[in-house]
Amino acid sequence: LELSRREDDDADGGHAFEDIEKMRGLFPEHPATKEARSRFDEALEQESSARAEYAAGFREVAAKNWERAIARLEIASARESANEEAREYLALAQVELGKRQRTEELERKARISVIYDLANSASQQANYGKALRLLEEILLVAPYQPAIQLRDRINRTKVAPVKPAVIVAPAGVVHV
C-alpha cells in the first residue's frame, strides 16, 4: 500500500510504474495493486490526452485558427494544469481572436457605410429600386437605423399619391 501512495507524489510517473510493477509481483491479486494500476493507467491516459490536445492546439495557433486553438488549449490546460505553455498559447489565441473580431467588426461597419451612401445617392436620384436593393443588403447583415429610416422614407415616397401640378396661366390667357 505504501508503494501505491508514492504514485501520487511522483511527478513524472517513473517511480510509480516501478512500484506498481513490484506490487503486481508481490501481490498480484490484492485490490490495492489493481486499484493502483488502474489509477496509473488513467493518469497516463489523461496526460497523453492533454499532450495530444496541446500539440493540436499548438498547430492551430501556428495556422492562426484561433477558435480551434482556443478549444484545444482549453482542454489541454484543464487536463494538465501544470502545462504553462498551454496556458500561454491559450492566452495568445484569445488575444488574437479578439483582435480579429474587432477588425472584422470595423470592416463590416465600413462596408455598411459605403453601401448606405450608395443607397442614399440612388434614392436622391429617384432610383428607388436600386436604393431598396442596397438597403436590404445592409439589413440582411445587421439592423442599421439609418437604413431602416431611408427604406421607410422611400416606401412612403413610392406610395404617396402624385399631386397634380398647378399651372398658373399668364393674365388674359384662358385654357379650355
Side-chain angles (χ1 to χ4, degrees):
L1 292 176
E2 186 61 35
L3 294 175
S4 68
R5 287 192 197 108
R6 267 184 60 193
E7 170 192 350
D8 295 332
D9 298 332
D10 187 14
D12 66 4
H15 294 295
F17 180 75
E18 293 168 8
D19 291 348
I20 291 170
E21 289 304 306
K22 286 179 190 174
M23 286 176 63
R24 286 179 67 189
L26 295 172
F27 310 104
E29 298 301 318
H30 194 280
T33 303
K34 291 179 180 178
E35 179 187 339
R37 179 60 192 215
S38 175
R39 285 187 309 171
F40 181 77
D41 289 344
E42 201 174 289
L44 279 179
E45 185 177 316
Q46 183 85 1
E47 181 180 327
S48 174
S49 174
R51 289 182 187 198
E53 290 294 336
Y54 168 73
F58 180 80
R59 284 191 302 274
E60 297 297 350
V61 166
K64 298 183 180 183
N65 295 324
W66 306 122
E67 292 95 345
R68 290 192 300 242
I70 290 168
R72 295 293 189 130
L73 292 167
E74 282 177 340
I75 293 169
S77 294
R79 290 183 181 165
E80 188 178 10
S81 60
N83 189 338
E84 188 67 32
E85 282 185 19
R87 286 195 307 277
E88 288 173 8
Y89 281 114
L90 174 59
L92 170 70
Q94 290 169 332
V95 167
E96 292 299 323
L97 177 61
K99 285 180 188 176
R100 190 185 79 204
Q101 289 173 334
R102 285 188 298 279
T103 299
E104 288 173 353
E105 179 64 16
L106 290 172
E107 289 171 351
R108 184 184 67 79
K109 287 179 179 179
R111 281 193 304 274
I112 287 173
S113 178
V114 168
I115 295 170
Y116 177 79
D117 289 344
L118 292 171
N120 194 31
S121 177
S123 171
Q124 291 171 352
Q125 296 169 6
N127 190 346
Y128 300 126
K130 179 179 178 181
L132 289 172
R133 282 191 305 277
L134 291 167
L135 293 170
E136 289 307 316
E137 188 176 325
I138 292 170
L139 296 174
L140 285 175
V141 175
Y144 182 61
Q145 194 60 36
I148 294 169
Q149 291 170 340
L150 181 57
R151 180 193 62 192
D152 293 347
R153 191 169 61 238
I154 291 170
N155 285 331
R156 282 192 307 273
T157 302
K158 285 176 53 177
V159 296
V162 178
K163 296 179 184 177
V166 177
I167 301 174
V168 179
V173 178
V174 177
H175 288 288
V176 183

